Amino acid sequence: MEYTVKKLANLSGISTRTLRYYDELELLKPARKNSSGYRLYGESEVDKLQQILFYRELGLELEQIKHIVNDPKFDSAHALVEHREKLLDKRMQLDLLITNVENTISAKKGVSIMADNEKFQGFKQKLVDDNEKQYGNETRGKYGDELVDRSNAKMLNLSEEDYQEFMRLEQEILSSLVEAMKTGDPTSEAAQKTVDLHRQWLSFTWPTYSKEAHRGLAEMYVADERFAAYYDKVQLGASQFLRDAIRVYTS
């Protein structure tokens, strides 16, 4: 069966303008154009659009999606399995947040009592789950399962006050890092202040702090592009500058 832009828009729930934009981006080209110049989409394009919308739901940028779905080696069946796993993870996170809200409502009504550390359980669990998905293999390989499990447990048991301070420090580190990079010197007072903030931040979740572990983590910031991207998002080269400053701090 073939669909015009309008029919495919109605079928998928996205606008005709979006479909035309996808065509311009060469993200989703029509199967063909008829004699009147109308775009026509077939079953293959419908399946491809489904994949695109899955990836959009997971937060990927259009350029990333374009690279993935237009890759000759793209395996749509395998991609669907991955989508399912990620959506299940997302559902689990939503279930945690819903439970958190329901417990909070119950506590507000005086039906139950909610401890402060329980108020942020869903948010803290998300941090743990996200870290595991992104960096779990690397950190467990470097530090061992026992240390990572203890670190996760410490995060989940943070008090409300500690959790808020942990989140505040994360943002302060990033802004401080930008200012420190203006000096161009990882040994500068500003750079070393940033590293000390970083040490304080790590200590909220690390069972024990050691200079060796801090140094090892800094090397991962540069060696692994996923770690690097977290800091380089504030300024290109930030991960390497932080690594160099941590080397000085822990020397």
Side-chain angles (χ1 to χ4, degrees):
M1 183 174 180
E2 288 189 322
Y3 298 89
T4 61
V5 170
K6 185 176 181 179
K7 287 182 178 179
L8 184 56
N10 290 335
L11 178 70
S12 62
I14 63 175
S15 68
T16 56
R17 183 178 180 181
T18 297
L19 285 173
R20 293 190 181 97
Y21 182 55
Y22 286 175
D23 185 6
E24 292 172 12
L25 285 181
E26 297 188 346
L27 173 60
L28 179 68
K29 304 291 290 182
R32 66 185 184 90
K33 290 185 179 181
N34 64 16
S35 57
S36 301
Y38 287 107
R39 297 173 176 87
L40 295 175
Y41 298 85
E43 183 179 350
S44 177
E45 288 71 39
V46 171
D47 290 344
K48 190 174 185 180
L49 178 58
Q50 183 193 40
Q51 293 286 355
I52 291 169
L53 296 181
F54 276 137
Y55 282 118
R56 278 189 59 192
E57 184 64 28
L58 294 171
L60 273 69
E61 299 291 336
L62 291 179
E63 281 298 323
Q64 292 176 284
I65 299 172
K66 176 182 172 181
H67 176 75
I68 294 169
V69 299
N70 288 338
D71 188 330
K73 297 179 182 178
F74 177 68
D75 184 340
S76 60
H78 178 69
L80 286 169
V81 173
E82 289 186 336
H83 292 323
R84 181 179 182 277
E85 291 175 355
K86 290 175 181 177
L87 290 169
L88 286 172
D89 288 340
K90 194 171 183 179
R91 184 173 71 181
M92 184 183 298
Q93 173 59 21
L94 287 173
D95 286 343
L96 279 170
L97 293 175
I98 290 169
T99 300
N100 189 297
V101 170
E102 289 174 343
N103 290 340
T104 303
I105 291 171
S106 178
K108 291 289 184 183
K109 290 181 176 179
V111 177
S112 62
I113 297 174
M114 190 176 193
D116 283 344
N117 66 328
E118 293 177 317
K119 295 175 182 177
F120 300 90
Q121 201 64 30
F123 303 105
K124 292 184 289 186
Q125 186 65 56
K126 184 177 188 302
L127 285 175
V128 169
D129 292 344
D130 287 349
N131 281 332
E132 281 287 351
K133 282 186 285 186
Q134 286 187 280
Y135 316 117
N137 290 336
E138 289 73 15
T139 53
R140 288 180 180 279
K142 189 172 184 66
Y143 299 109
D145 289 338
E146 182 183 355
L147 185 62
V148 174
D149 288 342
R150 286 169 62 197
S151 176
N152 290 343
K154 190 173 181 182
M155 161 61 78
L156 293 173
N157 287 317
L158 286 179
S159 67
E160 176 183 359
E161 183 180 355
D162 285 344
Y163 174 75
Q164 296 291 359
E165 180 62 12
F166 174 80
M167 299 302 291
R168 187 196 67 77
L169 269 176
E170 181 179 21
Q171 296 308 310
E172 186 178 355
I173 289 165
L174 296 177
S175 59
S176 178
L177 181 57
V178 172
E179 291 301 311
M181 289 184 71
K182 293 177 182 178
T183 69
D185 181 6
T187 68
S188 68
E189 183 180 348
Q192 292 305 294
K193 174 191 171 186
T194 302
V195 177
D196 191 60
L197 290 171
H198 192 258
R199 175 194 60 78
Q200 293 175 46
W201 183 62
L202 292 174
S203 296
F204 275 96
T205 56
W206 281 16
T208 55
Y209 171 84
S210 75
K211 291 182 177 181
E212 293 76 15
H214 198 178
R215 226 173 9 248
L217 184 63
E219 295 300 332
M220 290 177 70
Y221 287 166
V222 176
D224 191 309
E225 61 183 13
R226 292 167 302 167
F227 284 89
Y230 175 78
Y231 291 100
D232 286 352
K233 69 184 178 185
V234 296
Q235 188 170 323
L236 190 62
S239 58
Q240 185 168 341
F241 184 88
L242 180 60
R243 188 275 310 272
D244 294 342
I246 291 173
R247 282 178 173 178
V248 174
Y249 184 89
T250 58
S251 65

